[in-house]
Amino acid sequence: MAFVKGAWSILVGIKDALVLIFMLIFFVVLLSVLSSKPNPASVQEGALLFTLDGVIVEEKSDIDPLTALTSGAQPIKEFRLRDVVRALEGAVDDDAVKVVVLDLDRFLGGGQASMENIGDAIAKVRKAGKPVMAFATGYSDSGYQLAAHASEIWMDPLGGVVAAGSGGNRLYYKDLIDRLKITTHIYKVGTYKSAVEPYARNDQSEEAKEALKAVYDALWDRYLYDVEEARPAAGLREYTLDPAKFALAANGDLAKLALDQKLVDKLGDRVAFGNAVAEKAGVDDEDRPGSFKKTNLAVWLAANEEERSGEAIGVINIAGTIVDGEAGAGVAAGGRIAKQLYDGLADRDLKALVVRVNSPGGSVLASEQIRKAIERYKEKDIPVVVSMGNVAASGGYWVSTPASKIFAEPATITGSIGIFAVLPSFERALDDIGINADGVQTTPLSGQPDFAGGFNDSLDSVIQSGIENNYTRFLTLVAKSRGKTNDEIDAIGQGRIWDGGTARQLGLVDGLGGIEEALAAAAELAKIEGDYHALYLEPVPDQLSAFLNSLTSEQQSEYRGGYDVIARMSLARQATAGRLVTDMQRLVTLQGAQAECLECAILTPDYRSGAQANSLIAKWLASVPTKQ
């Protein structure tokens, strides 16, 4: 027995030692990966390759390690808009860049205004006499908008071009909520504030349709204008008017249809495309089929740091839904952004501030927290200019009100000046299963809000009056900022959204332009006579987030598959799944008054949350027993 115990102790000791060794190896490897960065020395003459396998964003999201490890799916790759534009503009004068290559095979978009920014940068490359070549198996709206600016568009013979245009449906839950016997208490101001409609109706109101139709039409006209200006010979407009007719006439050969309509220049697989690029960039030393000499985007960026000459103009990103607290990048957390603004004011010698807004809004409290932090710059006589991206609506407009000048893109979605709150109670559902609530109150608000027993009229009146007061405050902030009366702002407010061009006509913005125009205006207001540069007030990403982001880096096989047109259409399922999960979470977790444009999600779908939601739904369906 003593021998067995001794042998067992030895085995346990060996096991523990092996665990410690393996843990040590794991952490050494992890540390080496976290410490690794793109090697600027690997820049070579040839092609500058943009492998845009993911989405274009204003600010990269922090990736939650636990979610990344347990979701069962890779995080969707994110590319900062300013990085893509900077690299394209840098290619103009970079003698090592002989050709720019856009790999759009797994591109998921990122907002129409962003696509126009990148398209303008591509045009500068072509104007400098350098070819730009694009490839994808199938093109949808965003991908084709970028490809249209290329000098040569390639597509796989099994692919096609399907531009669906602006528009789409959202989900409505009134019947489901009634069947579950949930009571939704809705408080709002704004005839066009349709954010609460999914919980109160089974369809879209006529007012919401009116507002959305006007924005859809403006954005689609802008899209067609952008494509036709870049590629005059393309017959996209005719094709989109009756795609079924064209598809039937081509016997379903969507690739030939695209070629006949001059939507693409050449058909060929990835290897054929690579060989064509190699004629301009040179053949890679590995001499694999379809290989060519190239420098990836991440490597080029590491070798070419952002300009830092001249006076510093601070730039703060307000990207994503505005929420209370300290959430990480990719979410516009009021506490975090306010701290970054105050730190910039205390630690930096800033001559001006540009507020870059790409947000549908969110928490009124957080929006006000950010606005007050921006106001501190004005109190210090530091000029403030706002640059609106794809969307700057509701709370996104609230935080813009301190600006001396506001610039929007023609395709920006803005406005949505309105307030709402939604709270559920479950008295009917509980009563149905035999649970009742009762008690003693000393005032009309004792025990309220009572999610088990229901809300009373006093609470409803208090909340609604608070929402109306917040709306009046919103109107006052905008009116003061725009030099108008509350009544004038109310007439174009009421929760209605506007495209950038219309917003300029209405006086909600001062001019049309992007971040460069906003920086120039800020420099002029600050009376900067010489050079200036943008200094982004943002935290340095932690090494773990950088590592998780690198899991979806550009260093992938040239022979990986892409999305054909059917796969691209099915991606809408993920966006729908994302909306379903998000809407249900919102119903039970929303806290406080909200100034948010939920309809903006239709115009700028978030495939990141869609993919996560799709994974959750798939797991749930797999757990549901099926009948044999």
Side-chain angles (χ1 to χ4, degrees):
M1 182 63 70
F3 171 78
V4 173
K5 288 183 178 178
W8 178 252
S9 297
I10 292 172
L11 289 174
V12 170
I14 293 173
K15 183 263 295 181
D16 290 341
L18 288 173
V19 169
L20 287 173
I21 291 171
F22 280 121
M23 287 181 65
L24 180 62
I25 293 173
F26 171 78
F27 283 112
V28 168
V29 172
L30 180 61
L31 181 62
S32 65
V33 173
L34 291 176
S35 302
S36 65
K37 294 181 180 179
N39 182 13
S42 60
V43 171
Q44 62 176 328
E45 185 176 279
L48 178 54
L49 175 61
F50 294 77
T51 308
L52 301 179
D53 289 1
V55 294
I56 302 294
V57 298
E58 203 70 45
E59 182 180 64
K60 287 186 179 181
S61 304
D62 283 346
I63 297 176
D64 177 53
L66 183 61
T67 302
L69 293 172
T70 60
S71 66
Q74 280 189 334
I76 290 180
K77 183 70 177 176
E78 298 177 355
F79 300 87
R80 282 194 312 197
L81 173 63
R82 77 174 194 258
D83 290 338
V84 175
V85 170
R86 182 166 71 86
L88 285 167
E89 292 180 344
V92 171
D93 297 318
D94 190 336
D95 293 335
V97 177
K98 305 302 180 184
V99 54
V100 168
V101 176
L102 304 175
D103 186 341
L104 304 172
D105 219 4
R106 301 178 72 83
F107 182 53
L108 296 175
Q112 190 167 321
S114 295
M115 298 306 102
E116 291 185 13
N117 290 165
I118 297 173
D120 290 342
I122 295 171
K124 292 177 182 178
V125 178
R126 292 187 59 185
K127 188 176 180 180
K130 296 187 178 184
V132 179
M133 301 177 68
F135 175 84
T137 301
Y139 291 98
S140 54
D141 298 55
S142 294
Y144 190 74
Q145 187 172 10
L146 294 191
H149 290 268
S151 47
E152 199 170 297
I153 305 178
W154 280 67
M155 187 173 71
D156 190 280
L158 293 178
V161 177
V162 177
S166 304
N169 295 326
R170 72 161 302 145
L171 301 175
Y172 291 81
Y173 306 104
K174 180 64 165 61
D175 279 350
L176 173 63
I177 288 170
D178 286 344
R179 289 178 185 178
L180 295 175
K181 297 189 176 180
I182 298 172
T183 304
T184 53
H185 303 268
I186 294 172
Y187 315 93
K188 70 163 190 167
V189 178
T191 303
Y192 298 93
K193 198 64 181 175
S194 59
V196 297
E197 288 187 355
Y199 309 116
R201 300 174 57 99
N202 291 315
D203 57 2
Q204 196 170 65
S205 68
E206 290 303 316
E207 293 82 3
K209 287 183 177 179
E210 175 192 348
L212 284 171
K213 181 68 164 58
V215 173
Y216 283 151
D217 288 345
L219 293 185
W220 182 235
D221 287 345
R222 180 72 192 178
Y223 178 93
L224 291 173
Y225 170 81
D226 188 43
V227 169
E228 290 169 349
E229 185 179 45
R231 195 173 177 84
L236 183 66
R237 186 182 296 267
E238 296 79 7
Y239 172 39
T240 57
L241 287 174
D242 195 349
K245 182 186 76 173
F246 282 91
L248 291 172
N251 293 318
D253 189 340
L254 301 183
K256 181 179 181 300
L257 167 60
L259 197 62
D260 291 344
Q261 288 297 113
K262 296 183 172 55
L263 300 177
V264 301
D265 299 298
K266 294 182 180 179
L267 300 179
D269 62 12
R270 181 174 287 276
V271 171
F273 172 73
N275 291 335
V277 174
E279 294 177 6
K280 297 177 173 63
V283 178
D284 189 74
D285 293 337
E286 296 181 11
D287 197 26
R288 291 175 298 170
S291 66
F292 52 88
K293 290 184 177 179
K294 59 187 177 293
T295 298
N296 291 318
L297 171 62
V299 172
W300 190 95
L301 291 170
N304 296 269
E305 295 184 354
E306 291 182 275
E307 186 65 39
R308 287 288 186 268
S309 63
E311 302 284 3
I313 297 177
V315 180
I316 187 73
N317 269 320
I318 301 174
T321 303
I322 299 175
V323 300
D324 299 312
E326 299 285 341
V331 178
R336 173 179 62 84
I337 292 174
K339 182 179 185 302
Q340 289 170 203
L341 284 163
Y342 290 132
D343 287 348
L345 193 60
D347 303 335
R348 308 282 188 175
D349 183 20
L350 302 177
K351 301 302 179 184
L353 177 71
V354 169
V355 181
R356 176 69 173 177
V357 183
N358 196 13
S359 171
S363 163
V364 169
L365 185 62
S367 299
E368 178 65 2
Q369 186 178 16
I370 295 170
R371 187 196 69 81
K372 285 181 177 178
I374 296 171
E375 281 281 5
R376 289 290 294 157
Y377 282 74
K378 293 188 70 176
E379 292 171 7
K380 297 287 186 180
D381 294 323
I382 297 174
V384 176
V385 176
V386 162
S387 170
M388 293 179 168
N390 295 303
V391 57
S394 252
Y397 196 93
W398 186 298
V399 300
S400 302
T401 54
S404 299
K405 284 190 176 181
I406 299 177
F407 288 88
E409 306 276 6
T412 294
I413 304 160
T414 188
S416 192
I417 299 168
I419 305 286
F420 74 92
V422 180
L423 293 170
S425 62
F426 307 95
E427 66 275 12
R428 291 188 297 151
L430 294 175
D431 180 68
D432 199 47
I433 59 175
I435 299 175
N436 299 288
D438 195 10
V440 176
Q441 294 81 34
T442 55
T443 76
L445 295 182
S446 295
Q448 294 291 322
D450 187 347
F451 297 101
F455 295 8
N456 62 29
D457 292 341
S458 292
L459 178 67
D460 287 339
S461 297
V462 168
I463 295 178
Q464 180 62 33
S465 65
I467 294 296
E468 291 171 2
N469 180 265
N470 277 328
Y471 180 64
T472 300
R473 177 170 176 75
F474 201 168
L475 291 180
T476 302
L477 288 172
V478 178
K480 180 181 177 182
S481 170
R482 310 315 301 162
K484 297 179 181 292
T485 66
N486 281 26
D487 288 342
E488 288 174 321
I489 297 301
D490 185 45
I492 57 177
Q494 292 288 322
R496 180 160 184 164
I497 59 174
W498 306 97
D499 64 278
T502 305
R504 183 188 181 189
Q505 296 172 7
L506 295 172
L508 288 174
V509 304
D510 297 293
L512 298 180
I515 186 72
E516 293 301 325
E517 287 75 13
L519 286 166
E524 182 179 354
L525 289 170
K527 296 181 171 57
I528 298 175
E529 297 181 356
D531 292 338
Y532 58 86
H533 67 274
L535 180 62
Y536 284 84
L537 307 178
E538 57 190 4
V540 176
D542 63 86
Q543 289 185 318
L544 184 56
S545 291
F547 165 65
L548 292 171
N549 270 307
S550 73
L551 294 177
T552 51
S553 70
E554 299 168 290
Q555 307 296 332
Q556 303 181 52
S557 168
E558 287 92 341
Y559 311 111
R560 71 197 185 287
Y563 298 127
D564 63 15
V565 291
I566 298 175
R568 288 189 174 278
M569 290 178 183
S570 70
L571 287 173
R573 176 194 61 189
Q574 293 187 355
T576 300
R579 288 200 299 272
L580 188 153
V581 173
T582 300
D583 288 346
M584 289 296 100
Q585 288 177 333
R586 187 182 304 276
L587 178 60
V588 296
T589 61
L590 269 184
Q591 296 180 357
Q594 300 292 308
E596 186 172 359
C597 172
L598 297 188
E599 55 266 45
C600 296
I602 306 173
L603 296 157
T604 54
D606 186 353
Y607 290 109
R608 294 169 294 174
S609 63
Q612 294 166 1
N614 222 36
S615 175
L616 290 172
I617 291 173
K619 290 178 181 178
W620 175 71
L621 290 175
S623 69
V624 176
T626 55
K627 293 181 179 180
Q628 302 294 328

